């Protein structure tokens, strides 16, 4: 799983670097796919029936499970890349949201978007801090939810983090909001995909017409931050793209 996570982290870094004004979602998916194969990994998402891409890419009001399309990124878009890798049958899953910045364009709304993204990232690290042996799943949920909702945003309740390992999605479910001290106990060696799935407006999401993509019901902006970790005395982060 460490090797799988390293491939995922390097790929996420490449994919985020590829996101620029005028580039399409499909082009970024291609960058990710090539990187995963180059590094000796395989596409975890091909284990999902009916899905054939390396990534899910969501923009602005889209929340998760966006199918890469020929849509071009524009200045001011919030773009989230979600990708998972399979290496020798071991899966890791990660996602990150970023703001697209064009050249010489105005700053309209950008500082608010930057703040929105910063809160999501901070919530992820606070959640990860709770992924230690002896804690409970609710400790992770409470840490994430407290940060997001304490900042005036909403945690999407119907989409959750999850165990990860031999399969992309395993038990337990890891909600982004909940009560500390409740839920399954975390033990040393558990591998989890901790996810912060949140919106600037209300928490409700709807399925889009493509039957895959979830978007916010009120069309407010959404963000997505996810890392795969090993529960230990201190959580070991497997997919930190900033460190590869
Ligand atoms: N990475 C997503 C998750 O975090 C799963 C995407 S499955 C797909 O659970 F089929 F939509 F790609
Ligand atoms: Co996931």
């Amino acid at each position: 799983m460490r090797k799988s996570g390293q491939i995922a982290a390097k790929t996420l870094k490449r994919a985020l670097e590829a996101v620029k004004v005028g580039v399409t979602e499909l082009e970024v998916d291609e960058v990710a796919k090539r990187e995963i194969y180059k590094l000796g990994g395989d596409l975890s998402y091909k284990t999902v029936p009916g899905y054939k891409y390396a990534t899910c890419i969501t923009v602005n009001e889209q929340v998760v499970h966006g199918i890469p399309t020929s849509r071009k990124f524009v200045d001011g878009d919030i773009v989230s890349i979600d990708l998972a890798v399979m290496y020798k049958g071991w899966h890791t899953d990660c996602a990150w949201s970023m703001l697209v910045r064009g050249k010489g364009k105005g700053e309209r709304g950008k500082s608010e978007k930057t703040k929105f993204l910063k809160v999501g990232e901070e919530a992820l690290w606070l959640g990860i801090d709770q992924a230690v042996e002896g804690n409970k799943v609710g400790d992770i949920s409470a840490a994430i939810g407290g940060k997001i909702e304490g900042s005036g945003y909403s945690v999407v309740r119907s989409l959750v983090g999850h165990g990860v390992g031999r399969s992309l999605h395993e038990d337990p479910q890891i909600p982004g909001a909940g009560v500390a001290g409740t839920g399954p106990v975390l033990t040393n060696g558990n591998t989890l995909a901790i996810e912060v799935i949140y919106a600037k407006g209300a928490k409700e999401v709807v399925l889009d017409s493509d039957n895959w993509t979830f978007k916010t019901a009120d069309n407010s902006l959404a963000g997505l931050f996810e890392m795969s970790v090993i529960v230990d005395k201190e959580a070991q982060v497997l997919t930190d793209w900033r460190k590869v």
Side-chain angles (χ1 to χ4, degrees), residues 177-192:
V179 179
T182 65
V185 178
L186 304 174
T187 60
N188 194 305
N190 285 162
T191 45
L192 311 174

Side-chain angles (χ1 to χ4, degrees), residues 45 48 51 56 65 82 84 93 162 168-169 195 212 226:
Y45 286 175
V48 176
Y51 204 80
C56 292
H65 301 173
D82 188 353
D93 191 5
H162 48 93
L168 174 59
H169 294 131
E195 307 200 33
W212 277 98
E226 174 180 24

